[in-house]
Amino acid sequence: MGQQRTDARTAIEQGRTALGIELGSTRIKAVLVGEDHVPLASGGHAWENQYVDRTWTYSLDAVWEGLRAAVAELLDDAERQHGVRPATVGAIGVSAMMHGYLAFDAADELLVPFRTWRNTSTGAASAELTELLGYNIPLRWSVAHLHQAVLDAEPHVPDVRFVTTLAGYVHWRLTGRKVLGVGDASGMFPVDPATHDYDADLVARFDAHVGDRLPGGLRDLFPQVLVAGQDAGALTAEGAALLDPTGTLQAGVPLCPPEGDAGTGMVATNSVARRTANTSVGTSIFAMVVLEKPLATVHHEIDLVTTPAGDLVAMVHCNNGASELGEWAGVFGRFATALGAQATPDEVFGVLLREALEGAADGGGLLSYNYLSGEPITGLEEGRPLIVRTPGSDLSLANLMRTQVYGAFATLSLGMRILAAEGVGVDAMFAHGGMFRTAGVAQRLLAAAVGAPVAVGRTAGEGGAWGIAVLAAYLVHGGGADLGTYLAQRVFADAELEVVEPDPADVAGYTTYLDRYTAGLAIERAATEAI
């Protein structure tokens, strides 16, 4: 242990480290990793968006207050653990929630408050651009926000000279460079996977359509696109002071291209190679599949983004994940307490998940809808959590819990069916999220739901801050290897993974369940109208 502490101290003193910072929706995190990509120190800061004048936003003051707090906590943690306060690092990476709208004028002043991905006031622009470009443009994309401002003839539009994302903004202030990683850029405007840049044909269509309603073409207004491993500038003296006003952190550190949280999630789960995928199950649930070729048809249910290396990714995003399952765990936890049994929430959750494996493969005729909110993939603007059964169904705890797990995966698998119909193949899916802490249950049922092997494992680090730290290390140590090879050989070579193959009986049962679930969506729609 003493030798490990000494080695870490030496690495920190010599700057043989990488610093990753991610601005999430509720927390800003900073992670310092060594040359083996293992975290050495970390820091964080909680923050929340504000709803101001009907807009979800964060103030720029809150951005810098949060970044300084997270970095200060990381520096304190390094000193506490290793006896040294980092004065420099080998490389820095910045990541943040994707999409949204940060617009600046010629004097680099913010024109309107930051409009985050959460705002849904861009319906007209999204529909118009999707038809114009023949490419799905979701409500949250930056170009939808920009075009909606044009359609609404907002007074600030003639003054727009630069539009970027949150990660792009922070990187710009730290380095002076108006650049963006290709993964984050692909959530601003469609990217051509062949050129790893904004799609030239679609840019031309957009510029021709907008004409003189904008003060410049899209390439003039949007950041330059870079791929992982490319030079994205260095920390300036002004940037260093923004991160660490104490003056401990010195200027001159190279930065990797800033990325979005989708890209850092792919890196953190080793899911950047073609035919790999990852899924995260929490309040919402999503899957990202790295494609071998573009989709043949535009699908409103499927978002197209890229990996940090520029490969095309299909994203299936569902608003409703494991929250309803958590509600039932709370009910049964209270029942246990009422009986005089003492059990932690994790213990209750584990018991219920293991019980699900005892249920009938098709759920015994039960249906569970986990819709606490609306679900775009199934065309529902609102949600009503439901359990539905026929008189002849088998209501048991095992079947109830199995269908609760199935219900958490059902909308996702409907999106995956669209990809399967397009001929998209998945060799392996990496799953993460609290549902998978109970070994072998959700993992096995997810394998049945997506029809592919599902891997769960512990990695050296977790989350987007670690993912962008790895991308920063790749900038310095990549040595010409492609990102997928670097991750496989340098980062995840010793990772312990448990891989579960789809069980044929589970697959058959889940298929029966999903057919019943799809037919029963009429019940869910009726519920939203009646109650």
Side-chain angles (χ1 to χ4, degrees):
M1 188 69 174
Q3 182 61 43
Q4 290 178 348
R5 188 174 188 273
T6 301
D7 291 345
R9 178 188 176 109
T10 302
I12 292 171
E13 287 177 334
Q14 297 179 356
R16 292 185 284 109
T17 54
L19 171 62
I21 301 170
E22 181 157 274
L23 297 95
S25 57
T26 60
R27 190 163 180 80
I28 299 172
K29 299 177 182 177
V31 174
L32 186 71
V33 303
E35 290 179 301
D36 56 2
H37 309 95
V38 173
L40 300 176
S42 63
H45 174 77
W47 72 335
E48 289 288 349
N49 54 193
Q50 291 85 42
Y51 193 57
V52 181
D53 296 330
R54 303 181 65 81
T55 298
W56 290 106
T57 188
Y58 300 85
S59 73
L60 298 191
D61 285 344
V63 169
W64 295 109
E65 289 168 8
L67 284 170
R68 283 192 289 270
V71 170
E73 188 172 282
L74 178 143
L75 296 177
D76 289 344
D77 188 42
E79 188 170 29
R80 182 171 55 253
Q81 289 197 65
H82 309 292
V84 60
R85 200 169 182 82
T88 188
V89 296
I92 298 174
V94 176
S95 175
M97 60 191 99
M98 292 174 65
H99 318 297
Y101 184 70
L102 279 157
F104 298 87
D105 64 15
D108 295 338
E109 294 294 327
L110 187 68
L111 288 165
V112 292
F114 172 32
R115 297 170 182 176
T116 77
W117 62 271
R118 192 175 181 183
N119 291 286
T120 57
S121 57
T122 57
S126 173
E128 184 175 303
L129 291 178
T130 296
E131 182 176 357
L132 171 74
L133 304 178
Y135 197 103
N136 184 31
I137 305 294
L139 298 175
R140 61 188 182 275
W141 279 31
S142 303
V143 72
H145 284 279
L146 174 63
H147 193 52
Q148 191 65 52
V150 170
L151 294 179
D152 294 341
E154 292 192 38
H156 78 275
V157 169
D159 296 321
V160 174
R161 294 297 182 274
F162 181 48
V163 177
T164 190
T165 65
L166 182 55
Y169 162 70
V170 172
H171 183 96
W172 169 39
R173 292 293 308 277
L174 296 181
T175 66
R177 295 279 302 275
K178 295 180 178 179
V179 300
L180 200 60
V182 64
D184 206 0
S186 69
M188 292 191 74
F189 190 85
V191 162
D192 182 346
T195 64
H196 300 162
D197 198 358
Y198 304 120
D199 188 293
D201 176 58
L202 301 188
V203 168
R205 284 194 225 173
F206 176 82
D207 287 347
H209 180 70
V210 175
D212 60 5
R213 290 181 289 174
L214 279 175
L218 184 133
R219 289 188 182 276
D220 300 321
L221 303 179
F222 277 20
Q224 176 190 358
V225 182
L226 300 176
V227 299
Q230 284 189 293
D231 171 35
L235 185 66
T236 63
E238 295 81 3
L242 283 171
L243 285 181
D244 177 29
T246 70
T248 301
L249 190 61
Q250 300 300 300
V253 179
L255 271 78
C256 70
E259 265 300 349
D261 49 3
T264 55
M266 294 179 219
V267 170
T269 55
N270 193 21
S271 304
V272 301
R274 293 178 184 181
R275 295 182 63 90
T276 63
N278 76 90
T279 185
S280 176
V281 185
T283 302
S284 61
I285 179 172
F286 67 82
M288 292 185 289
V289 182
V290 185
L291 302 175
E292 298 173 277
K293 60 182 180 180
L295 300 181
T297 307
V298 176
H299 301 280
H300 293 281
E301 304 91 341
I302 308 295
D303 294 358
L304 292 174
V305 292
T306 77
T307 71
D311 290 315
L312 202 60
V313 173
M315 177 187 288
V316 181
H317 185 276
C318 312
N319 286 350
N320 299 280
S323 294
E324 182 66 2
L325 180 59
E327 293 287 337
W328 279 105
V331 169
F332 285 111
R334 173 56 193 154
F335 178 68
T337 301
L339 285 176
Q342 297 299 318
T344 67
D346 276 355
E347 288 172 335
V348 172
F349 202 79
V351 166
L352 294 176
L353 282 178
R354 286 188 289 272
E355 186 72 10
L357 291 185
E358 304 301 319
D362 69 346
L366 276 64
L367 279 178
S368 295
Y369 293 97
N370 65 335
Y371 292 2
L372 288 163
S373 65
E375 191 58 74
I377 287 182
T378 49
L380 290 163
E381 294 184 3
E382 295 183 31
R384 302 291 185 271
L386 293 176
I387 295 173
V388 182
R389 70 187 187 95
T390 61
S393 60
D394 180 9
L395 178 59
S396 65
L397 179 60
N399 285 337
L400 175 64
M401 298 320 300
R402 192 172 185 109
T403 54
Q404 283 296 320
V405 176
Y406 278 174
F409 297 150
T411 311
L412 180 75
S413 58
L414 291 175
M416 294 295 289
R417 275 187 170 183
I418 295 172
L419 296 181
E422 283 264 8
V424 173
V426 177
D427 291 333
M429 177 171 281
F430 191 105
H432 52 113
M435 184 184 285
F436 299 99
R437 287 202 301 267
T438 301
V441 182
Q443 182 181 8
R444 170 180 150 185
L445 298 184
L446 178 61
V450 299
V454 173
V456 174
R458 295 183 60 84
T459 59
E462 291 184 5
W466 182 72
I468 193 66
V470 170
L471 286 173
Y474 174 66
L475 172 70
V476 178
H477 303 298
D482 66 82
L483 181 60
T485 300
Y486 180 84
L487 293 178
Q489 296 181 356
R490 295 285 301 274
V491 183
F492 290 93
D494 298 323
E496 297 180 6
L497 296 178
E498 179 184 351
V499 180
V500 171
E501 298 282 342
D503 179 273
D506 287 340
V507 172
Y510 182 81
T511 299
T512 299
Y513 175 86
L514 192 62
D515 289 343
R516 190 187 308 127
Y517 178 96
T518 304
L521 283 169
I523 306 168
E524 177 70 22
R525 292 190 183 94
T528 65
E529 296 168 1
I531 56 175

